[in-house]
Amino acid sequence: MKTKKKAMISQPMAGKTHEEIVETRDKAVAVLESMGYEVVNTLFTDEDMKGHSNMKIPLYIPLHYLAMSLESMSSCNVIYFCPGWENARGCRIEHDAAAEYGLEVLYGE
């Protein structure tokens, strides 16, 4: 049985409503699944932090989410960047990491 390639979504979230985030993510998931990718969940919540780290409460929660995202990236074949990624600090860091480590990069419209 052939293993599905995995994809991760990098998406700007600052200043967006939960509904806007989910709508953009759903579009990205549909594109990636139509290409045959399995999408790794990187839409983290406070629940995802529990038990993930030996830290009780991270001092910089967005940085902790970025660390979780980079960890997820290590198991992916491709990273999909949603529109506006170039204006979001975390997405730019993810993009630099993907480029430096030779991961395939796709850009959403």
Side-chain angles (χ1 to χ4, degrees):
M1 181 175 175
K2 187 176 179 182
T3 305
K4 265 190 171 182
K5 289 188 174 187
K6 292 183 180 180
M8 184 186 106
I9 298 168
S10 180
Q11 173 185 15
M13 294 187 202
K16 305 218 186 264
T17 66
H18 178 73
E19 291 76 21
E20 290 171 320
I21 291 167
V22 170
E23 181 182 342
T24 299
R25 182 162 292 267
D26 286 348
K27 289 178 186 176
V29 168
V31 168
L32 290 164
E33 287 180 345
S34 75
M35 297 172 71
Y37 290 105
E38 174 186 341
V39 179
V40 173
N41 181 29
T42 53
L43 183 55
F44 303 119
T45 66
D46 292 343
E47 281 299 309
D48 295 310
M49 279 197 285
K50 292 178 183 174
H52 188 278
S53 172
N54 56 7
M55 297 170 31
K56 297 243 186 257
I57 300 173
L59 185 56
Y60 297 100
I61 292 171
L63 186 58
H64 187 78
Y65 286 155
L66 176 61
M68 291 169 63
S69 179
L70 291 171
E71 181 179 3
S72 295
M73 185 184 287
S74 72
S75 67
C76 292
N77 305 93
V78 66
I79 313 301
Y80 180 96
F81 289 88
C82 292
W85 70 267
E86 56 279 290
N87 300 315
R89 178 179 46 206
C91 294
R92 288 193 314 266
I93 292 169
E94 291 168 347
H95 190 271
D96 288 348
E100 289 292 325
Y101 287 91
L103 293 160
E104 182 179 353
V105 173
L106 299 174
Y107 300 97
E109 297 178 15

